[in-house]
Amino acid sequence: MQKNIRNFTIIAHIDHGKSTLADRLLEYTGALSSREMTEQVLDSMDLERERGITIKAHAVRLGYKADDGNEYVLNLIDTPGHVDFSYEVSRSLASCEGSVLVVDATQGVEAQTLANTYLAIEHNHEIIPVINKIDLPGAEPQKVKEQIEEAIGIDCSEAILASAKEGIGTKEILDAIVRKVPPPKGTGEAPLKALIFDSWFDNYQGVIVLIRVFDGTVRPGMKMRLMAAGKEHEITKVGVFTPKMEEVPQLSAGEVGYLIAGIKTVGDTKIGDTITDAARPAESQLPGYKEIKPMVFSGLYPVENIQYEELKNALEKLRLNDSSFSFEPETSSALGFGFRCGFLGLLHMEIIKERLEREFQLSLITTAPTVIYRVTGTKGEEFFIDNPSSLPDRFEKIEEPYVKVSVFVPQEYIGQILELCQEKRGAQTEFTFISKDRIMVGYEIPLNEILWDFYDRLKSVSRGYASMDYEFIGYRPSKLVKLDVLLNGEPVDALSLIVHSDTSYYKGRQLVEKLRQVIPRQMFEIAIQASIGGKIIARESVKAMRKNVLAKCYGGDITRKRKLLEKQKEGKKKMKQIGKVEIPQEAFLTVLKVKE
Amino acid sequence: MVNYLYIHVPFCIAKCHYCDFYSVPVENAGPDATGKYVRTLLKEMKLREGSAGNLKTVYLGGGTPTLLSGSQVADILSGAREIFALVPRAEISIEANPGTVSEAQLAAFRESGVNRISIGVQSLADHELCVLGRRHKVKDAFAAFRAARSAGFDNISLDLIYGIPGQSMDAWENTVSSALDLSPEHVSAYELTPEESTPLQVELAEGVYALPDELLVTEMYYAVIEKMKKYGYLHYEISNFAKPAYECAHNLNYWNRGEYLGIGAGAHSYFDGKRSGTLRDLARYVESIEGGTVPVDEEVNITEQDEFKEMIFLGLRKIEGIDLRLMPESGKLLTNKAVDDLIHHGLIEIKDQYLRLTAKGLVLSTEVMVRILNQP
């Protein structure tokens, strides 16, 4: 019953109520009773719930009997809500025909929402605008409607006023999905074409692949072929999430569900790849497939060298589930053995690091994140570097990745935003009023500059009102130099940075000053120096520790005093010894906090 | 057999701002609180009969033990003699707060056998006493000292504190000189330590006061060491000085990791490989003893590892250091890389089989201990 299927997704900015709305839809359609609901079912990972963001896409099949008396199958495809995962978002969007656009009635349209809505429109989605949180005192639904009309250019006369928290508007949204979102096209008889829009590793079943079938039928026993990867596997199970996993005999054109085929690593099931029947393959794969590459690199080192193997095992385990992150062994003269890891973005990096520490109880040092530079050597040879310390002293040319950043900001904060973008070496390409008091500015900025503290400062100068999105636009030559840090005369490779030469002196001074603040006093004076091309440009020192003594220690509190010492001892363990100097974990990220 | 007895007297007129020992305002403790408490102490001793004997020291600490009357102290000591027995010339100390002691009372203490008194002078500048939340004035401290002398005490210790907010080097040197003019047998000089959740710590956190500069505090410490030595005192523990043969035997026992029995609410004990503390709650302590049980609140088994740690951090407190010949695994210590480093940095030294802090290491003793303990 293809004509009764509706595939849709929800587009919303962080905190605008996407997960709560998803919960309501599940509840209303009886997929889960309210008793079964743990808050926000779709965000299942602890980390996701804590951060209030959705990291992995999921798909849930809902049964809904509409007022016209027909039973409909509604497939809700959840999407990640962060800029780091925009490719995954695009594949989720490609799997459906409509989007519910949720905008917070008190906040208005944000950059992320806009970017995703444009993407949805590119995928020919029918957009159903929903103004959420209308129960809040600060709600301005009319103003937000106008904003959506002006900013996105879609008709909001039928926008649904809702409060997912209070359950207001849930039925109206379901009805609109049935009425407005077109049923999927495609035929069950054509050769199989199914799009992978997500996959993850399950300890018991292997890789679980989420698919949208465009043509043909997929069923257990079939030998499938991954068209981009060129590999074949035998399908053992197909099914749907209701949201519990439920096996079905087959999935046909227009349907959404999962398949299991004894695959061991998610790296084999690339998001965007097309699945076809090996016995009767489709002629061409579905459009839009891209090999996604990490954009941001950072070194991960165990604080205790003996944890190296554990770290390696943990990285391998995480990689089973996340093919977008990469790691390679790396040696640092300062930090010993570790890994150079590649991430989609900063959030992705933080998530991986936090999972390593939380789920695997590792104590880690993260070096400052960096982008990949394209270097032309003195003999004209071209190579890429993902670690500042590997930049040679002499080279012909260095190029860095640029991104186009779009910022949405209320007019009153525009001055600070422009200043920030200028400071980050940005060149303005766009300046548009999207409504009476909201502006969108576009800037071309080196990716490296937005890694540092761009997002935090964007939020702080706009009191949280500005939002942003960015996309990679290519490599451009830059005047870049390597800034080295020396502790008591010894260079510390893990603290090296690549910076723009115009601000290099200033950054060098800032960096040594910051390091002076985070490196605790030790038994001797520590000289901290910054150098460029062998020339010292800044120096600070951490004076020797003067005093650390317990004045009193008598019978009463010997156990307490022992515990006190043990606590200090634990503190020491979190330090990394580099030569004779002990450096706290956070020192390696201090470089991030250096302002222009 | 445990030969050292500590008796805690948890009453004060008011709590000093820096103190985190267990005590309650005597006014709020009910009628005849001290009398009732003394009777309870005697009962606890009875309950503990057999766990200590041939006492070499008895130490009445607090709180403010001098809130007890002469006869109450006499009752406690005769109880201790009767139940545990004392060796001849046992050291019997009492802590005294200026302003709470009369000459008659001191004479009665002396009469009952107390032979050492430790006076909480703290500072000889009135405004500093005020910052500390002490209730006495400088003149009370002098009066207490003279009263103790005339009551016949020939072993008097004075407690002094440096690093008080607003204190200058001159002020500290003046306190030390004035104290030495009295020629006490023993002096304890403590750096002011803001303990967790004391009023002082709150005041510092709120910026009402600020501690003097660290460098100045370090100099104050070196200054008192120098001065005491010049006057013929032995510097025998990080914060303690004594005329020859007047070291406090009771406290030395702590640093030597000797066993001791603690009696009273909030008192601590160490024997049979366990460190334990009695309930820090006067009413419940009394109730429990009445019911025939010693209310042990916290009890920690001292493992071999703990023992090693204690040897390090207690042993290094003594200026003579750790006698390596008495240390079971001293070999482990000598091959410890941290020990090497610390010797290299001049913070510790090994001389005549003793491992000890150098003058430079004294002010970094905690750092030294942590570093040694950090090595496996």
Side-chain angles (χ1 to χ4, degrees), chain A residues 216-231:
Chain A
T217 302
V218 60
R219 58 174 69 85
M222 179 186 268
K223 185 159 227 178
M224 70 172 200
R225 179 183 300 161
L226 293 154
M227 296 183 78
K231 288 191 178 167

Side-chain angles (χ1 to χ4, degrees), chain B residues 140-309:
Chain B
D140 301 322
F142 287 122
F145 187 88
R146 281 190 291 267
R149 275 284 188 251
S150 41
F153 280 98
D154 54 9
N155 186 356
I156 303 178
S157 177
L158 302 181
D159 275 7
L160 302 177
I161 290 182
Y162 61 92
I164 301 167
Q167 192 177 34
S168 67
M169 185 58 132
D170 281 351
W172 171 237
E173 285 185 326
N174 185 53
T175 289
V176 176
S177 301
S178 309
L180 287 177
D181 286 345
L182 299 172
S183 192
E185 282 65 39
H186 187 282
V187 171
S188 300
Y190 302 115
E191 179 190 340
L192 180 64
T193 312
E195 302 282 354
E196 281 295 324
S197 49
T198 54
L200 175 72
Q201 198 216 20
V202 174
E203 286 162 345
L204 288 168
E206 286 172 352
V208 181
Y209 296 122
L211 292 174
D213 173 73
E214 194 180 68
L215 188 60
L216 175 60
V217 177
T218 309
E219 281 167 3
M220 286 177 174
Y221 181 51
Y222 284 129
V224 69
I225 293 174
E226 200 182 322
K227 189 111 184 173
M228 296 307 297
K229 282 187 179 157
K230 214 161 102 190
Y231 278 70
Y233 290 81
L234 297 172
H235 184 196
Y236 73 102
E237 192 260 2
I238 289 178
S239 307
N240 285 282
F241 305 86
K243 284 186 177 168
Y246 282 96
E247 293 98 332
C248 177
H250 186 83
N251 287 340
L252 267 173
N253 180 56
Y254 293 138
W255 304 316
N256 287 328
R257 296 196 62 255
E259 295 186 320
Y260 51 91
L261 174 64
I263 299 281
H268 287 79
S269 299
Y270 173 47
F271 55 86
D272 293 345
K274 291 187 186 87
R275 290 198 186 271
S276 63
T278 313
L279 211 57
R280 282 167 71 106
D281 180 324
L282 186 58
R284 284 171 58 205
Y285 162 77
V286 171
E287 190 184 285
S288 176
I289 297 288
E290 292 292 338
T293 320
V294 178
V296 175
D297 184 34
E298 32 186 286
E299 188 170 86
V300 181
N301 275 310
I302 302 301
T303 63
E304 244 174 75
Q305 227 182 349
D306 296 339
E307 218 169 273
F308 179 78
K309 289 178 191 167

Side-chain angles (χ1 to χ4, degrees), chain A residues 521 547-548 551 553-554 566, chain B residues 190-191 214 239 255 309 363:
Chain A
R521 287 177 173 196
K547 179 169 80 68
N548 183 7
C553 188
Y554 295 121
E566 279 165 359
Chain B
Y190 302 115
E191 179 190 340
E214 194 180 68
S239 307
W255 304 316
K309 289 178 191 167
V363 286

Side-chain angles (χ1 to χ4, degrees), chain A residues 98-114:
Chain A
S99 291
V100 173
L101 167 64
V102 178
V103 181
D104 187 324
T106 67
Q107 303 286 321
V109 178
E110 305 282 357
Q112 190 67 59
T113 324
L114 201 70

Side-chain angles (χ1 to χ4, degrees), chain A residues 521-524 544-566 568-570 572-573 577 580 582, chain B residues 20 190-191 195 214-215 218 239-240 251 254-255 260 268 275 302 306 309 313-314 317 341-342 345 347 362-367 370-371 373-374:
Chain A
R521 287 177 173 196
Q522 290 164 41
M523 291 179 301
F524 42 85
M545 180 191 287
R546 284 187 187 129
K547 179 169 80 68
N548 183 7
V549 53
L550 292 172
K552 270 189 190 185
C553 188
Y554 295 121
D557 44 11
I558 283 169
T559 301
R560 230 184 75 212
K561 293 275 146 69
R562 192 188 82 224
K563 284 179 182 158
L564 229 93
L565 287 175
E566 279 165 359
Q568 287 207 26
K569 190 176 124 185
E570 278 314 301
K572 280 250 189 298
K573 278 206 167 151
Q577 180 128 13
K580 289 212 175 287
E582 283 164 347
Chain B
D20 72 336
Y190 302 115
E191 179 190 340
E195 302 282 354
E214 194 180 68
L215 188 60
T218 309
S239 307
N240 285 282
N251 287 340
Y254 293 138
W255 304 316
Y260 51 91
H268 287 79
R275 290 198 186 271
I302 302 301
D306 296 339
K309 289 178 191 167
F313 82 81
L314 292 173
R317 295 196 68 85
D341 272 1
L342 292 164
H345 287 299
L347 298 183
L362 279 175
V363 286
L364 290 168
S365 55
T366 301
E367 181 71 15
V370 169
R371 276 174 187 274
L373 296 184
N374 219 1

